[in-house]
Each structure stands twice: as structure tokens, then as C-alpha cells.
Amino acid sequence: MSVLRSYFKRKLRPKIIDYFHRFYYHSNDTWFKNTFLGYEIRQCPLDLQLYQEVVARTRPSFILQTGVNQGGSVLYFASLLDLIKADADGFVIGIDVTLTERARTLTHPRIRLFEGDSTDPAIVQQVKALVAGRTGLVSLDSDHSRGHVLKELHIYKEFVGIGGYLVAEDTNINGHPVARQWGPGPFEAVEEFLELDYCFVRDDELWQRNLFSFHQYGWLKRIQ
Ligand SMILES: C[S@@+](CC[C@H](N)C(=O)[O-])C[C@H]1O[C@@H](n2cnc3c(N)ncnc32)[C@H](O)[C@@H]1O
């Protein structure tokens, strides 16, 4: 019996989890159709639960996301700041290379949107001026190529204080375990980033109890 149990734990369990992850990710009628308060949100609900926990625990003075798309996530983050009764000057920054018409209709008073490449020094300068030395939660969800994510990690790490989170989203692509044909992406960028940066560690405990995350191995916590 214990041999069977150990076989299940070591061999079958990870296979079942990865199979479900791939099935859920690649189905047309699952997460891609999700909305938040009417705005499309390109997230797995399990990850929204984790963001909620992180925000409630760390109480960031701002939340920054690169990659806004239809705006669901920035609206979700702004609503979380409302729910935790963050200071009135707690805000959400969204950066997108092309802001969609839908995102432009967002009227939540905490949301500040910027249009441009998230690694453009002019955009970064404007964001720096806005946060004025404060630290917060950063979520990277724009161009998912290895090179771009790595650049973002290096630029935006300084916006995160000790105990705070820098989330490289969609680390599951390029076969980790979904979208096998993608090519080097966020997962590879995180690997390279952590080789040289000792201020951040992966917080895998955060997501592993839920079995998988679209950002698995990409939830980075600043420890020094
Ligand atoms: C996956 S979607 C973002 C989804 C959104 N965060 C959500 O949770 O609903 C990726 C977005 O990144 C934007 N994007 C792509 N390359 C970018 C870049 N270099 N800088 C900023 N945004 C970029 C795209 O225009 C697209 O809207």
C-alpha cells in the first residue's frame, strides 16, 4: 500500500497536475473568457486568489502591472486596494504598448495608465516620478519573450521593497508545462535573473498548495 502511495505521490500526482494544467490552459472556454466587473481579465482565478493574499498581507502602496490588455487585472488590483482600505493615494499603474479602447474606459480613481513599451526609459522615468521612491507590488504581463521579461525584471525590481513581490507572469509557457512551441520566455528569464540577483527568491509555497499557477516559479519575493 505504501509503495502504491509513494508511486502516486512521486510519479502520478505531478503528471495529473500537469495534464490538468495543460487541459485548462489550452481549452478555449476557460480562463480566456473570464471577466472582472465586466472587463476581460487574462488570468487563472487561482492566481487572482494569490494576488489577493499577497496584497492583504503586504499592503503595497501601489501595484504596477506591465501589459494591461482589456483592463480586467488593473481594475481587480484597484478594487483590492479599496477592499483593504489602502490610503487614498494608493494607486495602480498599468503600462501597455497599445492601450485598448476598452482599457481606456476605466474610470476607477486609483488607476493610472501609461502607453508605451514597458522598458522604454521615458516610460520608466514617468513611473519613477509617480511612485516617488515608494515600493509596491509589481506584476509583469507584457511581452513574454525571455529578453523582454529579463529587461523588465532588472528595471522593475527596484520598485519592490523587502517582503514585497515581483511576479513574472506566464512562466508556465514554453513547456512549463503549457505552450511547448513558445520559445524561451518568462521561465527562462526568471532562471537567468535569479542566477545573478540574490535579493529575490522564488516563493513556491505560495502557489504549490493550489497545485499549479500560470505563474509557477515566477512569484518572486524580495528578501534583502
Ligand atoms: C497577456 S496581455 C495582458 C493581460 C492583462 N494583464 C490581464 O491580466 O488581463 C499582454 C499585453 O501586453 C502588451 N504588450 C506587449 N508588448 C509590450 C511591451 N513591450 N510593453 C508594454 N506592453 C506590451 C500587449 O499589448 C497586451 O495588451
Side-chain angles (χ1 to χ4, degrees):
M1 189 64 179
S2 68
V3 173
L4 263 182
R5 214 175 270 146
S6 130
Y7 175 75
F8 176 79
K9 212 170 167 192
R10 283 184 303 107
K11 299 276 186 195
L12 280 183
R13 191 176 183 268
K15 276 195 189 355
I16 291 167
I17 294 167
D18 278 3
Y19 180 81
F20 179 78
H21 189 158
R22 286 201 302 275
F23 177 77
Y24 181 71
Y25 183 89
H26 290 293
S27 298
N28 292 329
D29 294 329
T30 55
W31 62 282
F32 211 72
K33 291 202 169 163
N34 290 346
T35 59
F36 178 71
L37 301 181
Y39 285 78
E40 288 173 45
I41 184 164
R42 308 287 186 225
Q43 298 286 331
C44 170
L46 288 175
D47 293 322
L48 295 177
Q49 164 63 25
L50 299 182
Y51 273 123
Q52 174 275 132
E53 288 186 19
V54 166
V55 169
R57 177 156 43 88
T58 64
R59 300 189 64 82
S61 60
F62 67 86
I63 303 173
L64 183 154
Q65 186 169 61
T66 65
V68 174
N69 201 256
Q70 304 303 310
S73 280
V74 285
L75 183 57
Y76 179 73
F77 290 141
S79 307
L80 287 182
L81 291 183
D82 287 344
L83 285 169
I84 64 161
K85 300 194 188 333
D87 293 343
D89 63 351
F91 47 81
V92 174
I93 300 164
I95 306 169
D96 202 293
V97 72
T98 310
L99 287 171
T100 58
E101 286 307 311
R102 186 64 178 143
R104 286 177 193 278
T105 66
L106 287 164
T107 54
H108 194 291
R110 292 189 189 272
I111 297 177
R112 315 274 190 276
L113 297 180
F114 292 86
E115 187 167 66
D117 186 324
S118 54
T119 62
D120 178 345
I123 294 283
V124 178
Q125 212 39 55
Q126 289 176 57
V127 172
K128 265 190 189 155
L130 184 61
V131 306
R134 292 190 286 174
T135 54
L137 164 64
V138 174
S139 156
L140 307 175
D141 191 21
S142 66
D143 174 338
H144 292 326
S145 62
R146 184 199 63 87
H148 195 269
V149 179
L150 190 57
K151 242 176 158 180
E152 285 187 326
L153 286 164
H154 284 296
I155 292 170
Y156 291 102
K157 66 180 183 183
E158 70 170 86
F159 292 79
V160 178
I162 294 172
Y165 283 77
L166 173 60
V167 186
E169 292 208 346
D170 300 303
T171 38
N172 60 349
I173 63 176
N174 197 34
H176 307 292
V178 306
R180 287 183 178 151
Q181 310 301 324
W182 186 272
F187 182 89
E188 289 73 18
V190 168
E191 291 272 271
E192 201 170 326
F193 176 71
L194 292 179
E195 267 173 34
L196 295 178
D197 193 299
Y198 299 113
C199 294
F200 288 87
V201 292
R202 286 180 163 125
D203 185 356
D204 294 334
E205 261 182 41
L206 180 69
W207 59 268
Q208 274 175 337
R209 77 185 127 91
N210 282 330
L211 307 183
F212 75 94
S213 159
F214 281 10
H215 324 317
Q216 51 194 33
Y217 307 106
W219 295 86
L220 308 182
K221 186 176 180 178
R222 181 157 191 174
I223 53 161
Q224 55 175 313

